[in-house]
Amino acid sequence: MRITGLIVLVVAAVTLFITAYTIDETEQAIIIEFGRPVDKPVIEAGLHFKMPWRQLVKFDNRILEYDVEPKAILSLDKKRLEVDNYARWRIGDPLIHGEVGNFIISQVDRAACWPYHPGNHIK
């Protein structure tokens, strides 16, 4: 009898651990089921629950920035130019940001998708 109660308690704790998630004030999230978003984005902070087979993808709700070190290049007429670029943005709708060709791109991969690479040359 004690073993059965202990097993039920362990299964309930594992199920709660798998289904519960928290959203911080600086985050927003979408829930994905089999590669597609399920409901509206989760934008309010706090404790939330999901089905165990669904995945949670979190996005930053703050102003994000992309900044590159200034780089000196030579123009066609051999003048030295100092090139500096930056971008600032905020993710307004995580469904639009997260769904690109039916694939979810995490924020870790956004740098790999950026068209600028330090090895590229301006022509």
Side-chain angles (χ1 to χ4, degrees), residues 12 14 18 23 35-36 40 48 62 71 77 89 120-121:
V14 168
I18 292 173
I23 298 293
R36 301 215 180 258
K40 296 179 188 176
H48 302 277
R62 297 175 287 189
K71 184 177 180 181
D77 55 352
W89 72 95
N120 292 348
H121 299 286

Side-chain angles (χ1 to χ4, degrees), residues 39-90:
D39 285 327
K40 296 179 188 176
V42 181
I43 56 173
E44 58 273 349
L47 180 65
H48 302 277
F49 296 94
K50 65 178 180 64
M51 296 302 207
W53 60 85
R54 293 181 176 170
Q55 295 176 339
L56 178 72
V57 179
K58 293 182 179 181
F59 298 98
D60 205 347
N61 200 18
R62 297 175 287 189
I63 295 176
L64 304 172
E65 67 177 35
Y66 167 80
D67 194 7
V68 179
E69 293 291 325
K71 184 177 180 181
I73 62 168
L74 290 176
S75 64
L76 292 177
D77 55 352
K78 304 295 183 198
K79 290 185 180 177
R80 184 175 181 263
L81 299 174
E82 195 74 26
V83 178
D84 186 16
N85 64 351
Y86 70 95
R88 292 179 189 227
W89 72 95
R90 177 177 290 167

